[in-house]
């Protein structure tokens, strides 16, 4: 498959890891649809990236909007063979006893159900074409746990499980599905980071620094490429040595 003919959808592409991944894919000559609920942000990111980037307003909690965006992306750019699910939120920080139930549902609906909705829109076309690469941005928190963000951790553990299930289900279809589990990266997801919070985030990271979005983007690019040919349903660590399994 020639890279110039490839089309990618990147969710959450207005900011942070998704934006860096969109940049990386476009640099390789892949046409990228930047899906985000923040249309102005997606437009700004697309303007930075240039001709290979097209912004779309998509709320991944809305099944009809996801389906419509998939069709609109196909019409505008051609059928996507790459889907990177990066849209996500952290949600509130609260102990389990006081964790607000509506926020629990919101975090799960974006991080887990949103990933499911985008995969469900993408898989039939990818399977019909006999080729696809799906990259789900999970988190090291989904393997290790983090205190006071139970919905986030549960959603990311579930994204890992979804990836494993889809990888096995689609293993002979040409569609490979893998997950990435980054440790902390200094993006908008944390809001303003105090020195104390930054120190807490780094306490478990042996390399003692945040992962740069560009480092995650390099790994995502490889997983989105034909060079990734014998890995599926797998979880790729990028946690500066934090992961123990
Ligand atoms: N930054 C980190 O430390 C870190 C670590 C591990 C995993 N992750 C994961 O990486 C992914 C990207 O996070 P980030 O750090 O780039 O955060 P970010 O806040 O910079 O970007 C997230 C993007 O998702 C978009 N988004 C949120 N809700 C949406 C919805 N309903 N529909 C469409 N778009 C929506 C936001 O508008 C934003 O542009 C998330 O899934 C996050 O859980 C981040």
């Amino acid at each position: 498959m020639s890279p110039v003919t490839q089309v990618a959808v990147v969710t959450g592409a207005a900011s942070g890891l998704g934006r860096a991944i969109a940049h990386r894919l476009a640099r390789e000559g892949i046409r990228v649809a930047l899906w985000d609920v923040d249309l102005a942000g997606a437009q700004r990111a697309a303007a930075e990236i240039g001709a290979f980037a097209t912004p779309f307003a998509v709320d991944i909690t809305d099944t009809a909007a996801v389906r419509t965006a998939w069709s609109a992306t196909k019409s505008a750019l051609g059928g996507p063979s790459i889907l990177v699910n990066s849209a996500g939120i952290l949600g509130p920080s609260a102990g389990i006893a006081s964790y607000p139930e509506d926020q629990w549902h919101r975090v799960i609906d974006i991080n887990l159900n949103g990933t499911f909705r985008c995969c469900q829109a993408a898989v039939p076309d990818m399977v019909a074409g006999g080729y696809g690469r799906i990259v789900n941005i999970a988190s090291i928190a989904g393997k290790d746990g983090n205190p006071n963000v139970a919905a986030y951790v549960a959603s990311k553990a579930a994204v890992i499980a979804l990836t494993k299930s889809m990888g096995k289900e689609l293993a002979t279809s040409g569609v490979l599905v893998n997950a990435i589990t980054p440790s902390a990266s200094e993006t908008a997801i944390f809001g303003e980071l105090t020195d104390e919070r930054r120190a807490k985030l780094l306490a478990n990271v042996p390399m003692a620094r945040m992962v740069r979005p560009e480092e995650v983007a390099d790994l995502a690019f490889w997983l989105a490429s034909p060079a990734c040919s014998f890995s599926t349903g797998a979880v790729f660590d990028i946690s500066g040595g934090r992961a123990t399994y």
Side-chain angles (χ1 to χ4, degrees), residues 35 63-64 66-67 70 83 85 112-127 134 136 162 166 169-170:
W35 286 16
T63 304
V66 168
R67 299 275 164 154
W70 186 261
L83 168 65
N85 286 299
L112 173 61
N113 301 346
T115 298
F116 160 73
R117 289 183 188 97
C118 294
C119 289
Q120 203 174 44
V123 162
D125 284 340
M126 289 184 179
V127 169
I134 296 177
N136 294 327
L162 172 68
M166 286 181 60
E169 183 180 323
L170 299 172

Side-chain angles (χ1 to χ4, degrees), residues 20 48 57 64 107 128 130 139 141 148 152 207 214 219 229:
E48 277 168 30
V107 172
S139 168
N148 301 318
Y152 181 78
M207 288 175 77
E214 296 73 23
L219 180 55
S229 56

Side-chain angles (χ1 to χ4, degrees), residues 27-197:
R27 212 165 76 212
E28 301 294 332
I30 296 166
R31 294 169 72 85
V32 186
L34 283 75
W35 286 16
D36 208 291
V37 72
D38 171 10
L39 178 60
Q43 286 168 332
R44 276 193 302 276
E48 277 168 30
I49 293 171
F52 278 87
T54 308
F56 290 84
V58 192
D59 181 346
I60 62 164
T61 65
D62 178 343
T63 304
V66 168
R67 299 275 164 154
T68 302
W70 186 261
S71 299
T73 301
K74 264 171 43 175
S75 304
L77 307 178
S81 58
I82 296 167
L83 168 65
V84 180
N85 286 299
S86 189
I89 61 168
L90 185 59
S93 190
I96 197 69
S98 57
Y99 200 94
E101 190 175 341
D102 60 335
Q103 291 302 309
W104 172 276
H105 289 300
R106 174 102 185 120
V107 172
I108 299 288
D109 201 28
I110 294 174
N111 295 1
L112 173 61
N113 301 346
T115 298
F116 160 73
R117 289 183 188 97
C118 294
C119 289
Q120 203 174 44
V123 162
D125 284 340
M126 289 184 179
V127 169
Y131 180 88
R133 296 287 181 271
I134 296 177
V135 183
N136 294 327
I137 311 300
S139 168
I140 187 68
K143 291 163 77 174
D144 274 13
N146 274 348
N148 301 318
V149 283
Y152 181 78
V153 170
S155 73
K156 293 300 178 176
V159 166
I160 290 170
L162 172 68
T163 303
K164 290 182 178 183
S165 179
M166 286 181 60
K168 288 187 165 56
E169 183 180 323
L170 299 172
T172 59
S173 70
V175 181
L176 309 187
V177 188
N178 291 294
I180 297 179
T181 51
S183 51
S185 185
E186 196 147 356
T187 68
I189 203 165
F190 296 114
E192 284 295 311
L193 263 186
T194 60
D195 287 347
E196 190 193 352
R197 184 91 194 281

